[in-house]
Amino acid sequence: MNGVRVLLVDDHATMRMGFRMILEASGIDVVGEAATGAEAVSAAASLRPEVICMDVQMPDLDGIEATRRILAAARDAPPRIVIVTTFDRDDYLFAALDAGASGFLLKNAGPEELVSAVRVVAAGDALLAPGVTRRVIERFARTSGNGSDVPVRPPEIDPGLTEREREVLRLLAQALSNAEIAQQLYIGEATVKTHVSNVLQKLGARDRVAAVVYAHRHGLA
């Protein structure tokens, strides 16, 4: 997928320059840059990027709060936000997911991983490394999502999933890919993609990460 419109947010100009060179060399359109969270909020509103690569630790406003404000303001066609940070910390990871980020990438990732991350989230999928996905699952499997160790209860309102869609959601919650789900259920990948799309729509989930979190919070895993 070429032509994706990207906003780069990082307080280090050399980091932004490096990301720009990598992305533009792959045919991805970098439409702007921001050095602070506040600048990112303003740039997102004016430039309307499809994807934002967002640093966490920045002056003025951190990347987590900037993510929250950008998505709250962009009701129509909100951008997909990938948190790109030096720090592999659970507090950043879960805060980013809670704020609405669609991906979490470490800055020591290779150029191919950065390009892939942008394209994956632009296509509407979520980006989490397998190890990160396991941490998400482990956390929401044992907590209610509010930091307590209270067991999760099933939702009071049925989201209207069919039995097949519930099976797909359970496998999504295990961090399986579409190909792996297709193999488990003996159906085609195109069919899996349709089921995943229906699940996200019925749950009101923006992407697969949100669906995983929903499944574990509501006992549907």
Side-chain angles (χ1 to χ4, degrees):
M1 179 189 299
N2 292 331
V4 180
R5 293 168 50 83
V6 177
L7 171 65
L8 300 176
V9 184
D10 197 293
D11 59 337
H12 294 288
T14 53
M15 186 64 68
R16 299 197 306 272
M17 182 184 301
F19 284 176
R20 176 184 282 274
M21 291 175 62
I22 291 168
L23 295 175
E24 290 184 339
S26 298
I28 292 172
D29 186 14
V30 177
V31 297
E33 299 181 12
T36 71
E39 289 180 8
V41 174
S42 176
S46 62
L47 299 174
R48 299 182 66 82
E50 296 169 73
V51 176
I52 300 175
C53 294
M54 179 79 74
D55 191 16
V56 175
Q57 291 188 348
M58 294 181 292
D60 196 8
L61 188 71
D62 67 59
I64 304 299
E65 182 59 28
T67 294
R68 186 174 290 107
R69 295 187 187 185
I70 288 169
L71 295 179
R75 296 182 179 179
D76 298 325
R80 302 282 179 170
I81 299 180
V82 180
I83 298 297
V84 187
T85 178
T86 305
F87 308 99
D88 186 11
R89 290 171 38 174
D90 280 0
D91 55 343
Y92 285 173
L93 168 62
F94 294 117
L97 297 180
D98 186 62
S102 294
F104 191 87
L105 189 69
L106 296 179
K107 287 184 179 179
N108 61 5
E112 298 84 2
E113 291 177 88
L114 176 64
V115 172
S116 176
V118 168
R119 290 178 172 165
V120 164
V121 299
D125 292 326
L127 175 86
L128 288 179
V132 172
T133 302
R134 283 194 296 271
R135 282 150 58 189
V136 173
I137 290 173
E138 287 169 1
R139 166 159 174 165
F140 287 103
R142 69 173 185 267
T143 75
S144 61
N146 59 8
S148 70
D149 289 325
V150 178
V152 179
R153 296 181 179 178
E156 295 181 1
I157 301 176
D158 190 326
L161 299 179
T162 66
E163 184 55 37
R164 177 63 85 183
E165 288 165 352
R166 285 177 176 271
E167 291 177 338
V168 169
L169 178 58
R170 283 193 288 271
L171 295 175
L172 276 178
Q174 296 173 33
L176 269 61
S177 67
N178 284 355
E180 291 168 330
I181 294 174
Q183 186 176 23
Q184 288 273 345
L185 299 180
Y186 302 101
I187 58 179
E189 285 190 50
T191 303
V192 172
K193 188 173 182 180
T194 298
H195 285 316
V196 170
S197 178
N198 290 339
V199 167
L200 297 184
Q201 182 179 18
K202 290 181 179 181
L203 297 184
R206 64 185 174 275
D207 53 36
R208 295 167 79 100
V209 172
V212 170
V213 172
Y214 183 101
H216 285 282
R217 278 183 169 171
H218 297 280
L220 296 176

